[in-house]
Amino acid sequence: MTDIAFQHPFDDDKLHEECGVFGVFGNVEAAALTALGLHALQHRGQEACGIVSFDNTQFHSHRSIGRVGDNFGDEAVIAGLAGHCAIGHNRYSTSGEPALRNVQPLFADLGHGGLAIAHNGNLTNAQTLRNELVSRGSIFQSTMDSEVIIHLTATSRQARIVDRLTDALRQVVGAYSLVVLTSKKLIGVRDPMGIRPLVLGRLDEAYILASETCALEIIGAEFVREIDPGEMVVVDEDGITSHRPFPTHPRRFCIFEHVYFARPDSIFDDRSVYEARKRIGAELAKESHAPADLVIPIPDSGTPAALGYAQQVGLPFELGIIRNHYIGRTFIEPTDQIRHLGVRLKHSANAPLVKGKRIVLVDDSIVRGTTSTKIVTMMREAGASEVHMRIASPPTAHSCYYGVDTPERSKLLAARYDLAEMARLIGVDTLAFVSIDGLYRAMGETSRNEGQPQYCDACFTGDYPLALVDRDGGQETQLSLLNERR
Ligand code: SF4
């Protein structure tokens, strides 16, 4: 089966998060709580979802293509996932083809018991490791990068599961936030740079792990703290323990979580995502405001930045673009030409508002530029006298290899054209992006620390914090560094 270019049901020209993870230990409604948590994390992946539970005797699993509400809305399905502990996963895939065998959590019966694993992120040496494992006799069930973690755990010579998993993770390079379920433990692990998010919560006696705090809110759980980069937390009948089995690295959390991926009501690093987005909009306005009558968000992801922009310059914030929320995922649009036709199904101009007005359109990012071009044309046809576009991130000129679905570099508008050419192609009077330092200022930093950047920002800068082993081959890898330090 080849990879089908599924279109995101909400935004067809956006980067897409690959996955959301959730885990519960110590609640009789573990599977129902997990389904709710996955529902709150639906924005992180709509292609497929799954839950694995354990009932003190056996594991139960339900994995399906489609969204959480379609697969876990049935009481009988939840009833079939008995037990006081469960993990779940939402998937939007770039690694592996979109088939049921790739839907997580992955489960394997290892020599010492069952192991279920849900992974958010992407391993940059997965193919290299897979080739080695296959040459030693491993038989893979999926095409997922995450499966190498299971095989490495299975073949570890350590005795305890925590040590076996540690052994496996010391061999991988890449971004990962994992939730793992065994017959006795719920384990949460974050990669040494903390590129992808993972938070810890508490609901009465139960411990919860989730990609974002919005998934704690939905079940009424209390936010305890973020899992630290390189930390492994182990929850069992005796409580929770924290381990630091990996060499320490400076934190490099994905800055795009703040720009676009995370839900605006989530909190990372004591920072509200919503407030961060408003501050990015304010920085953008300080750097590049154009005289105009109205500030208009490109819905929905441009909305908080547009609010911040409008408040900064004291202009009216108006809904000049109305979005149709009921598109569903019926559109499989394999070519750019057909993709062009889709935009008007999703967005309409509020023509009486924009007619004769100079407008500033605010969006979070430009990927291919196809949606931006159509929206600008729509605004001009609706009678806008000037159209200025402001983007609440620096130009996206590089692909992500750490768990975000990015087009190849040759398809990224900013990788192909300079600012003036992009403005001409999109059809705007002026175009500006927030600067990289403006983005960091919005995060509460004075600027990007060039020597040791505070975030992963590789899709803007090309400064990849982790080696791209499968892509580049032969380079010194984090693996070799880790092995040296062991
Ligand atoms: Fe996030 Fe971009 Fe880094 Fe990927 S490359 S982890 S999207 S900042």
Side-chain angles (χ1 to χ4, degrees), residues 13-61:
D13 190 25
K14 295 291 180 192
L15 300 182
H16 306 309
E17 183 59 83
E18 190 174 335
C19 301
V21 297
F22 193 87
V24 179
F25 190 97
N27 189 294
V28 287
E29 304 257 36
L33 294 173
T34 303
L36 286 166
L38 292 181
H39 177 68
L41 297 171
Q42 189 75 84
H43 58 287
R44 299 184 74 87
Q46 297 88 42
E47 184 188 296
C49 52
I51 295 176
V52 171
S53 70
F54 182 72
D55 68 1
N56 284 332
T57 306
Q58 59 179 326
F59 288 88
H60 305 273
S61 170

XYZ file of all heavy atoms in Angstrom, residues 13-61:
367
model
N -3.057 23.124 4.311
C -1.729 23.616 3.984
C -0.966 23.908 5.263
O -0.311 24.928 5.391
C -1.862 24.872 3.117
C -0.523 25.296 2.546
O 0.361 24.433 2.412
O -0.366 26.494 2.260
N -1.099 23.041 6.233
C -0.455 23.222 7.522
C 0.498 22.067 7.775
O 0.367 20.999 7.194
C -1.499 23.237 8.647
C -2.447 24.411 8.578
C -1.732 25.688 8.884
C -2.671 26.871 8.822
N -1.910 28.133 8.841
N 1.441 22.325 8.694
C 2.210 21.197 9.214
C 1.305 20.440 10.169
O 0.451 21.026 10.825
C 3.432 21.713 9.969
C 4.409 22.557 9.158
C 5.594 22.957 10.007
C 4.867 21.813 7.926
N 1.501 19.141 10.251
C 0.632 18.335 11.097
C 1.436 17.611 12.157
O 2.454 16.999 11.852
C -0.127 17.310 10.261
C -0.865 17.943 9.139
N -1.710 19.004 9.320
C -0.854 17.690 7.819
C -2.206 19.364 8.157
N -1.692 18.594 7.225
N 0.933 17.678 13.374
C 1.533 16.929 14.467
C 1.357 15.446 14.181
O 0.402 15.031 13.541
C 0.809 17.300 15.770
C 1.363 16.658 17.001
C 2.809 17.022 17.216
O 3.106 18.077 17.758
O 3.650 16.190 16.825
N 2.328 14.665 14.616
C 2.211 13.252 14.289
C 1.351 12.497 15.290
O 0.589 11.625 14.905
C 3.591 12.614 14.209
C 3.534 11.228 13.641
C 4.904 10.657 13.435
O 5.849 11.418 13.276
O 5.009 9.438 13.450
N 1.448 12.788 16.570
C 0.772 11.916 17.520
C 0.487 12.589 18.858
O 1.136 13.551 19.236
C 1.632 10.689 17.821
S 2.015 9.725 16.373
N -0.475 11.995 19.560
C -0.732 12.349 20.951
C -0.750 11.077 21.777
O -1.201 10.028 21.291
N -0.255 11.149 23.017
C -0.224 9.947 23.864
C -0.893 10.246 25.201
O -0.934 11.398 25.653
C 1.218 9.435 24.094
C 1.845 9.002 22.784
C 2.085 10.478 24.792
N -1.384 9.175 25.838
C -2.091 9.314 27.101
C -1.943 7.995 27.857
O -1.924 6.929 27.255
C -3.577 9.603 26.818
C -4.359 10.059 28.013
C -4.411 11.400 28.358
C -5.038 9.138 28.802
C -5.127 11.831 29.465
C -5.763 9.558 29.909
C -5.815 10.906 30.241
N -1.873 8.071 29.190
C -1.781 6.857 30.001
C -2.394 7.066 31.374
O -2.364 8.181 31.909
N -2.974 6.006 31.934
C -3.600 6.044 33.263
C -3.118 4.840 34.052
O -3.063 3.722 33.519
C -5.144 5.935 33.152
C -5.775 5.955 34.539
C -5.721 7.016 32.288
N -2.813 5.048 35.335
C -2.516 3.912 36.218
C -3.281 4.130 37.512
O -3.099 5.138 38.191
C -1.016 3.830 36.530
C -0.628 2.559 37.239
C -0.127 1.473 36.546
C -0.793 2.444 38.623
C 0.222 0.302 37.194
C -0.452 1.272 39.278
C 0.061 0.197 38.566
N -4.189 3.187 37.834
C -4.833 3.235 39.143
C -6.243 3.768 39.160
O -6.667 4.342 40.154
N -6.993 3.542 38.079
C -8.396 3.941 38.086
C -9.206 2.873 37.360
O -8.829 2.463 36.249
C -8.572 5.311 37.402
C -9.975 5.864 37.564
O -10.939 5.311 37.054
N -10.083 6.965 38.298
N -10.320 2.448 37.953
C -11.098 1.363 37.342
C -11.688 1.764 35.995
O -12.048 0.913 35.194
C -12.249 0.889 38.270
C -11.699 0.101 39.429
C -13.097 2.057 38.729
N -11.779 3.071 35.754
C -12.298 3.554 34.465
C -11.154 3.946 33.534
O -11.274 4.901 32.754
C -13.182 4.787 34.691
C -14.314 4.562 35.646
C -15.626 4.385 34.898
O -15.593 3.776 33.806
O -16.637 4.856 35.399
N -10.046 3.234 33.628
C -8.836 3.657 32.908
C -9.074 3.842 31.411
O -8.642 4.834 30.817
C -7.713 2.651 33.150
N -9.779 2.905 30.783
C -9.972 3.000 29.329
C -10.868 4.184 28.972
O -10.610 4.894 27.993
C -10.572 1.699 28.791
N -11.928 4.413 29.765
C -12.827 5.541 29.481
C -12.078 6.861 29.653
O -12.233 7.790 28.844
C -14.032 5.492 30.410
N -11.255 6.952 30.687
C -10.455 8.162 30.888
C -9.490 8.362 29.723
O -9.268 9.483 29.253
C -9.673 8.082 32.203
C -10.514 8.087 33.491
C -9.625 7.827 34.703
C -11.248 9.418 33.653
N -8.919 7.262 29.263
C -7.976 7.345 28.140
C -8.684 7.818 26.876
O -8.153 8.648 26.122
C -7.291 5.977 27.913
O -6.641 5.592 29.131
C -6.273 6.042 26.792
N -9.892 7.311 26.649
C -10.653 7.762 25.467
C -10.924 9.268 25.545
O -10.797 9.987 24.549
C -11.968 6.982 25.357
N -11.261 9.741 26.746
C -11.502 11.181 26.904
C -10.214 11.972 26.675
O -10.216 13.022 26.025
C -12.057 11.471 28.307
C -13.511 11.059 28.533
C -13.855 11.072 30.021
C -14.448 11.984 27.757
N -9.124 11.464 27.228
C -7.834 12.134 27.045
C -7.457 12.199 25.576
O -7.003 13.247 25.071
N -7.664 11.105 24.864
C -7.350 11.097 23.429
C -8.247 12.064 22.668
O -7.830 12.703 21.700
C -7.508 9.683 22.856
C -6.501 8.633 23.327
C -6.787 7.299 22.650
C -5.063 9.067 23.036
N -9.494 12.176 23.130
C -10.413 13.121 22.478
C -9.869 14.547 22.594
O -9.899 15.317 21.627
C -11.789 13.000 23.123
C -12.785 13.962 22.591
N -13.278 13.891 21.300
C -13.366 15.047 23.155
C -14.121 14.888 21.109
N -14.195 15.613 22.218
N -9.350 14.884 23.780
C -8.782 16.232 23.977
C -7.507 16.421 23.159
O -7.109 17.549 22.883
C -8.497 16.467 25.458
N -6.869 15.317 22.788
C -5.626 15.385 22.013
C -5.868 15.109 20.526
O -4.913 14.869 19.772
C -4.610 14.368 22.560
C -4.153 14.586 24.003
C -3.318 13.396 24.491
C -3.328 15.875 24.120
N -7.112 15.173 20.114
C -7.449 14.813 18.735
C -6.711 15.672 17.708
O -6.392 15.221 16.612
C -8.961 14.938 18.526
C -9.471 14.399 17.213
C -9.522 12.887 17.163
O -10.455 12.273 17.602
N -8.477 12.274 16.606
N -6.433 16.937 18.081
C -5.734 17.826 17.143
C -4.344 17.312 16.803
O -3.754 17.722 15.812
C -5.618 19.235 17.744
C -4.901 19.269 19.064
N -5.478 18.803 20.224
C -3.659 19.671 19.398
C -4.605 18.938 21.219
N -3.494 19.454 20.745
N -3.791 16.394 17.630
C -2.437 15.898 17.384
C -2.416 14.731 16.396
O -1.335 14.246 16.053
C -1.767 15.481 18.705
C -1.631 16.626 19.690
C -0.893 16.218 20.940
N 0.523 16.076 20.707
C 1.411 17.061 20.776
N 1.017 18.270 21.092
N 2.672 16.835 20.539
N -3.586 14.266 15.991
C -3.611 13.171 15.033
C -5.023 12.671 14.828
O -5.691 12.328 15.803
N -5.458 12.637 13.581
C -6.832 12.207 13.296
C -6.899 10.953 12.435
O -7.970 10.473 12.114
C -7.593 13.312 12.561
C -7.762 14.590 13.327
C -6.592 15.534 13.115
O -6.115 15.669 12.002
N -6.132 16.160 14.174
N -5.740 10.423 12.058
C -5.790 9.305 11.126
C -6.240 8.005 11.787
O -6.986 7.223 11.194
C -4.404 9.091 10.504
C -4.411 7.998 9.458
C -3.006 7.675 8.998
O -2.384 8.579 8.417
O -2.546 6.559 9.220
N -5.807 7.782 13.026
C -6.119 6.523 13.692
C -5.937 6.702 15.195
O -5.309 7.663 15.649
C -5.189 5.412 13.193
N -6.487 5.763 15.959
C -6.331 5.843 17.416
C -6.423 4.438 18.008
O -6.944 3.517 17.370
C -7.389 6.759 18.030
S -9.067 6.360 17.548
N -5.937 4.298 19.223
C -5.982 2.990 19.856
C -5.792 3.078 21.349
O -5.256 4.066 21.869
N -6.302 2.059 22.050
C -6.125 1.953 23.502
C -5.746 0.514 23.830
O -6.315 -0.431 23.268
C -7.427 2.333 24.255
C -7.777 3.810 24.026
C -7.298 2.051 25.759
C -9.091 4.262 24.654
N -4.790 0.344 24.738
C -4.471 -0.968 25.310
C -4.647 -0.857 26.814
O -4.168 0.108 27.421
C -3.023 -1.398 24.975
C -2.642 -2.655 25.760
C -2.866 -1.646 23.480
N -5.360 -1.820 27.414
C -5.542 -1.832 28.870
C -5.043 -3.163 29.437
O -4.820 -4.122 28.698
C -7.022 -1.629 29.230
O -7.762 -2.778 28.868
N -4.909 -3.196 30.769
C -4.509 -4.446 31.425
C -5.384 -4.621 32.657
O -5.560 -3.685 33.440
C -3.022 -4.400 31.823
C -2.566 -5.676 32.460
C -2.411 -6.830 31.702
C -2.309 -5.751 33.825
C -2.002 -8.025 32.288
C -1.896 -6.928 34.411
C -1.749 -8.079 33.635
N -5.935 -5.825 32.832
C -6.917 -6.046 33.911
C -6.403 -6.974 35.017
O -7.192 -7.673 35.654
C -8.225 -6.587 33.340
C -8.070 -7.995 32.778
O -6.950 -8.564 32.849
O -9.066 -8.542 32.269
N -5.095 -6.998 35.210
C -4.433 -7.864 36.203
C -4.297 -9.300 35.745
O -3.636 -10.102 36.398
C -5.130 -7.842 37.573
C -4.811 -6.570 38.316
O -3.754 -5.985 38.102
N -5.724 -6.132 39.168
N -4.926 -9.637 34.618
C -4.785 -10.986 34.077
C -4.311 -10.939 32.631
O -3.373 -11.626 32.244
C -6.147 -11.733 34.124
O -6.638 -11.679 35.446
C -5.979 -13.183 33.698
N -4.974 -10.091 31.854
C -4.606 -10.029 30.442
C -4.720 -8.616 29.890
O -5.381 -7.756 30.471
C -5.461 -10.989 29.631
C -6.931 -10.714 29.728
C -7.733 -11.698 28.869
O -7.286 -12.125 27.806
N -8.914 -12.062 29.328
N -4.058 -8.419 28.748
C -4.124 -7.145 28.035
C -5.320 -7.165 27.086
O -5.689 -8.220 26.551
C -2.845 -6.924 27.215
C -1.643 -6.603 28.057
C -0.848 -7.620 28.571
C -1.302 -5.288 28.341
C 0.261 -7.331 29.354
C -0.201 -4.986 29.115
C 0.581 -6.013 29.628
N -5.899 -5.995 26.893
C -6.989 -5.819 25.922
C -6.593 -4.679 24.988
O -6.027 -3.685 25.444
C -8.293 -5.468 26.623
C -8.678 -6.455 27.675
N -9.399 -7.593 27.407
C -8.404 -6.471 29.010
C -9.561 -8.277 28.534
N -8.962 -7.621 29.520
N -6.947 -4.818 23.730
C -6.515 -3.807 22.762
C -7.636 -3.498 21.779
O -8.351 -4.404 21.337
C -5.284 -4.352 22.016
O -4.975 -3.515 20.933
